[in-house]
Amino acid sequence: MNDIFEKYNLEANAPQPIIPLFAAMDDDGIVEIPEDSTFALLPIRGNVLFPGCMMPISVRREASVRLIHDMDQSKGNFIVSTQKEDNAEFPSFDDVYKVGTLARIVRIIELPDGSSSVILQGRARFQIDSLASNEHYMKVHAHQLPDAPVAPDRQEELSAMLSTIKEAAHKIIRSYGGAPIELAQAVRDIKNQTLTINFIAANTYIPASEKQSILEASSLLDRGMLLLGSLNQQLQLIELKMRIQSKVKGDLDQQQKEYFLHQEMRAIQDELGGNPNDKRLADFKARAEKKKWPDYVKTAFNKEIDTLQRINVNSPDYSLQVNYIETILDLPWNEYTEDIFDINAAEERLNADHYGLDKVKERILEHLAVLKQKGDMKSPILCLYGPPGVGKTSLGKSIAEALGRKYIRISLGGLHDEAEIRGHRKTYIGAMMGRILQGIKKAGTSNPVFMLDEIDKVSSDFRGDPASALLEVLDPEQNNTFHDNYLDIDYDLSKVMFIATANNINQISAPLLDRMELIEVTGYVQEEKCQIARHHLIPRLATEHGITVEDVTISDDVLAHIVAHYTKESGVRQLSKVLATVCRKRALQRAKGADTANYPISLEELKDMLGTERYNDSIWQDDMMPGVVTGLAWTAVGGQILFVEASATIGKGSKLTLTGQLGDVMKESAVIALEYVHANANKWNIESCDFDNLNLHIHVPEGAIPKDGPSAGITMVTSIVSALSKKPVRKRLAMTGEITLRGKVLPVGGIKEKILAAKRAGITDIILCSENKRDIDEIKVDYIRGLNFHYVNTIEEVIAVAIDNI
């Protein structure tokens, strides 16, 4: 076998460029074949041999080399068939297609590199039936496959299809600049229809599987349609490549142009003393490499850097662009502080900083617990509402310390420009980010505790509505893509814990209120104020004034006296000011040499320090006359008792007079009360009263103070019934509730403040709507000890409790 390899020097069995040679062929495609039906089988890969066409191949398999040697010696015919899989190194009978081409060796060519190529000529299509033997190479039984005749009425269709195939072949040949001229000439010169299809199929760069399908088609029309489909696909691919090449060439031309212009600009700047922008650009790029920002931010940053490179340093836009890029770099993209998940430590911290506020502390601890269990969650939007001075703002700082987060606070009071929230467009002179992103930038982290103070004081004018701009900020479903007008890049605020504070939630727009979780921070009672003063205010104020806690020794009675007679508020802000005065007085005494340590402050000394008492709690009056009823009212500084006085006289015609600066709601309550008493006078034995000539005067003392609200409804009814029946109300009794024309008693708010005010005033019995019992249940038992509550549903029940023997 070695002598065979040495004689032919055959190396590779791979597809080779096909030379434009073909043999004469009859129109029916039939050639004279010996009757012997056993032929040698030569498997090839990557190409298909067609009848009438010539194809050079190289072989290196031992079996293929021996086959070529035998066929060259015998000048015999053999069958060439294409392998189904190109990677089969030793193909079996099942690895080749069963339709092949009968071939013979035309010439063996010795190439300059020492190898040899065998030129084969295809003669006819053959169907391989079975394997005859496989001793040195495969031999098979096969028979010729003649082409199915074309019907006469379809000859014109065949001619048109062949013309179309030739045109497509010419286009493909012209698209390849290196194609030989002889190939195009050969296509034009072919007259035989079968040879035209075979030759074009053999010399076109289409997949071998498609060529095999063309070879297997029995009808010349079917073979032509398959070839035309492959040629059209080839043309479309060629057109797509040409378009891509044209576009790439255009892009390269533009890049080269920009490159040369940049080089010229750099040369000019070097002549003028160098480019001062280079160092700044290098610094920006160095800082950018350390950022952990998202891909879309990186893309925007690179775009802005390219813009800065093209701006002259003397241009007014240069400083604007520099400021914008510095803003992008200063923001803490994807930078977060690690939360402290010690629940017990957080609870101790909250209790140490604030007395009471149990609901708020519980909500914060719940959030921290969920965050610890889940690892990640959208931060809640909390809104702490209540009277001033109760610690809403300072509570935010304690929450931040408990969570281990940075703390940022902005005041929204009086804010009326939407740009304060969303920022200005960077095209404007003096443009900057909104206060939200400025706070994030200041914090240096993307998950701070962000306090929005006085959110109910936001106003709007022709410059926009800041409350509407806050809708996106305070919506956990939207603020992960917060859009600032100056930054013009979406920023993720979903990890920020926003805490808003408000005094009156009725002044907040409904859509904004709906986005927040409301937590009421009620006012402190006197006992709570004393505890806050002793454990929080006095130690802090003593340190601020350079003295010790021992220098400000105050007994519980004196501290309670300060709260009751020198302050009047729901919170402790005014109390802090009063205690600051006491600390200053003690600091002065100590500076003069007095020994103030552990020297208690008496009531007499307190009067010298603070002057006369500023406030006197309203107390129940023992000399109650008919028509005078004690009501309960809620104010911004806490609860208080309110006297409602009614007097009835007989005149000419009926008349209702209301005094005491009553609001519209209280005026309506008075009208309803009078009409109800008039309609139900027989229930209380006052039907003899001449209502047609009744002059009723209702007065609420402290007339210089405006008063409004529905809470005095049942109080006014009781006052009118007492005045008309001339029977006084029970001693030490107070009431609050709204009425209807049907005599129903409705619940009201502010119960805690009202109840505590009643207790301070010496009230022992209180009438409430039965639905307000749930408010009483939330008050600590120690605060309501000694009070009797009468829960009612109708006016008849109110009168039965309030007036005896009626």
Side-chain angles (χ1 to χ4, degrees), residues 337 339 367 371 379 400 403-407 447-449 495 497:
T337 56
D339 290 325
H367 171 69
L371 196 63
S379 294
L403 294 175
R405 296 189 180 188
K406 296 294 183 67
Y407 172 73
N447 65 335
V449 173
K495 301 296 189 299
M497 187 173 187

Side-chain angles (χ1 to χ4, degrees), residues 533-560:
R534 186 168 301 283
H535 295 98
H536 297 276
L537 298 182
I538 293 178
R540 175 175 61 83
L541 292 172
T543 302
E544 292 178 357
H545 291 82
I547 56 178
T548 63
V549 177
E550 289 76 13
D551 292 323
V552 193
T553 303
I554 304 177
S555 64
D556 293 340
D557 294 338
V558 174
L559 197 55

Side-chain angles (χ1 to χ4, degrees), residues 63-218:
S64 300
V65 172
R66 180 174 289 276
L67 187 151
I68 293 299
H69 175 264
D70 293 346
M71 293 300 105
D72 185 36
Q73 293 292 332
S74 63
K75 306 297 181 182
N77 297 304
F78 56 94
I79 293 177
V80 176
S81 180
T82 304
Q83 296 179 197
K84 297 178 181 178
E85 300 291 340
D86 290 346
N87 57 1
E89 191 63 31
F90 301 101
S92 64
F93 178 75
D94 294 329
D95 292 334
V96 298
Y97 290 105
K98 298 307 181 281
V99 175
T101 303
L102 188 71
R104 65 183 178 184
I105 298 174
V106 176
R107 185 185 305 169
I108 297 178
I109 303 174
E110 299 293 338
L111 299 177
D113 60 357
S115 62
S116 301
S117 290
V118 181
I119 300 177
L120 304 178
Q121 178 192 3
R123 305 192 66 192
R125 297 187 312 123
F126 263 67
Q127 173 71 46
I128 301 173
D129 297 325
S130 61
L131 179 66
S133 66
N134 192 11
E135 184 177 355
H136 298 294
Y137 47 82
M138 286 186 286
K139 291 185 179 181
V140 296
H141 297 292
H143 66 274
Q144 186 177 3
L145 290 175
D147 291 340
V150 180
D153 58 344
R154 302 193 67 182
Q155 285 293 335
E156 292 186 2
E157 180 183 350
L158 178 59
S159 299
M161 183 177 61
L162 289 173
S163 177
T164 305
I165 289 174
K166 286 186 176 183
E167 291 178 2
H170 277 291
K171 291 181 181 178
I172 294 174
I173 293 171
R174 289 197 303 269
S175 67
Y176 293 103
I181 301 176
E182 293 82 359
L183 185 59
Q185 186 66 34
V187 171
R188 286 194 298 268
D189 292 343
I190 300 176
K191 304 301 182 184
N192 184 280
Q193 295 177 339
T194 302
L195 186 56
T196 299
I197 293 176
N198 290 348
F199 182 78
I200 294 176
N203 291 277
T204 306
Y205 295 104
I206 58 177
S209 59
E210 296 184 15
K211 289 184 179 182
Q212 182 67 29
S213 298
I214 296 172
L215 179 66
E216 293 178 357
S218 60

Side-chain angles (χ1 to χ4, degrees), residues 93-393:
F93 178 75
D94 294 329
D95 292 334
V96 298
Y97 290 105
K98 298 307 181 281
V99 175
T101 303
L102 188 71
R104 65 183 178 184
I105 298 174
V106 176
R107 185 185 305 169
I108 297 178
I109 303 174
E110 299 293 338
L111 299 177
D113 60 357
S115 62
S116 301
S117 290
V118 181
I119 300 177
L120 304 178
Q121 178 192 3
R123 305 192 66 192
R125 297 187 312 123
F126 263 67
Q127 173 71 46
I128 301 173
D129 297 325
S130 61
L131 179 66
S133 66
N134 192 11
E135 184 177 355
H136 298 294
Y137 47 82
M138 286 186 286
K139 291 185 179 181
V140 296
H141 297 292
H143 66 274
Q144 186 177 3
L145 290 175
D147 291 340
V150 180
D153 58 344
R154 302 193 67 182
Q155 285 293 335
E156 292 186 2
E157 180 183 350
L158 178 59
S159 299
M161 183 177 61
L162 289 173
S163 177
T164 305
I165 289 174
K166 286 186 176 183
E167 291 178 2
H170 277 291
K171 291 181 181 178
I172 294 174
I173 293 171
R174 289 197 303 269
S175 67
Y176 293 103
I181 301 176
E182 293 82 359
L183 185 59
Q185 186 66 34
V187 171
R188 286 194 298 268
D189 292 343
I190 300 176
K191 304 301 182 184
N192 184 280
Q193 295 177 339
T194 302
L195 186 56
T196 299
I197 293 176
N198 290 348
F199 182 78
I200 294 176
N203 291 277
T204 306
Y205 295 104
I206 58 177
S209 59
E210 296 184 15
K211 289 184 179 182
Q212 182 67 29
S213 298
I214 296 172
L215 179 66
E216 293 178 357
S218 60
S219 169
L220 195 59
L221 276 171
D222 294 340
R223 204 178 305 163
M225 289 300 295
L226 291 174
L227 176 59
L228 186 58
S230 297
L231 293 177
N232 286 334
Q233 186 176 4
Q234 183 98 4
L235 283 173
Q236 292 176 2
L237 183 60
I238 291 172
E239 292 176 359
L240 179 60
K241 289 181 178 179
M242 293 178 66
R243 286 200 301 269
I244 293 174
Q245 289 175 356
S246 177
K247 184 177 184 300
V248 170
K249 183 176 182 302
D251 293 343
L252 288 175
D253 291 343
Q254 180 66 24
Q255 291 177 6
Q256 290 175 353
K257 179 181 177 180
E258 292 180 357
Y259 173 76
F260 288 125
L261 289 175
H262 282 305
Q263 293 299 319
E264 290 180 4
M265 184 182 298
R266 187 180 299 276
I268 294 172
Q269 290 172 344
D270 290 340
E271 290 293 331
L272 294 175
N275 186 5
N277 197 27
D278 289 345
K279 183 178 180 181
R280 178 169 284 159
L281 287 171
D283 178 62
F284 286 162
K285 292 178 181 179
R287 292 173 60 187
E289 292 178 356
K290 301 177 182 179
K291 303 296 288 187
K292 298 183 292 185
W293 46 31
D295 291 338
Y296 68 91
V297 181
K298 183 177 181 180
T299 302
F301 174 79
N302 292 333
K303 181 180 177 182
E304 298 301 330
I305 285 291
D306 293 339
T307 302
L308 183 63
Q309 289 177 331
R310 294 192 295 268
I311 299 178
N312 190 299
V313 293
N314 296 320
S315 172
D317 294 334
Y318 180 80
S319 60
L320 298 178
Q321 188 69 12
V322 169
N323 291 337
Y324 179 68
I325 293 176
E326 287 181 340
T327 298
I328 298 178
L329 290 170
D330 289 341
L331 285 172
W333 304 90
N334 289 337
E335 296 179 18
Y336 305 101
T337 56
E338 185 176 354
D339 290 325
I340 299 175
F341 293 122
D342 190 340
I343 307 297
N344 295 326
E347 186 175 10
E348 292 177 1
R349 181 66 186 184
L350 292 173
N351 291 332
D353 291 345
H354 290 81
Y355 184 83
L357 305 178
D358 296 334
K359 287 185 178 180
V360 185
K361 296 175 183 177
E362 182 180 5
R363 180 64 185 87
I364 299 304
L365 294 176
E366 289 172 355
H367 171 69
L368 191 58
V370 174
L371 196 63
K372 179 180 181 180
Q373 298 297 326
K374 188 173 181 293
D376 183 24
M377 68 175 294
K378 293 181 178 179
S379 294
I381 311 296
L382 305 180
C383 179
L384 310 178
Y385 72 96
V390 295
K392 300 185 298 296
T393 303

Side-chain angles (χ1 to χ4, degrees), residues 557-608:
D557 294 338
V558 174
L559 197 55
H561 188 80
I562 294 176
V563 172
H565 298 282
Y566 289 93
T567 65
K568 189 176 184 181
E569 56 178 348
S570 294
V572 292
R573 186 169 291 141
Q574 189 175 358
L575 177 60
S576 178
K577 297 177 182 179
V578 173
L579 292 176
T581 302
V582 174
C583 290
R584 289 195 300 271
K585 298 293 185 181
R586 278 294 192 178
L588 179 60
Q589 294 174 358
R590 185 173 179 178
K592 291 181 177 180
D595 182 13
T596 58
N598 297 317
Y599 180 69
I601 298 176
S602 62
L603 289 176
E604 292 77 11
E605 186 180 3
L606 183 66
K607 186 174 182 180
D608 295 335

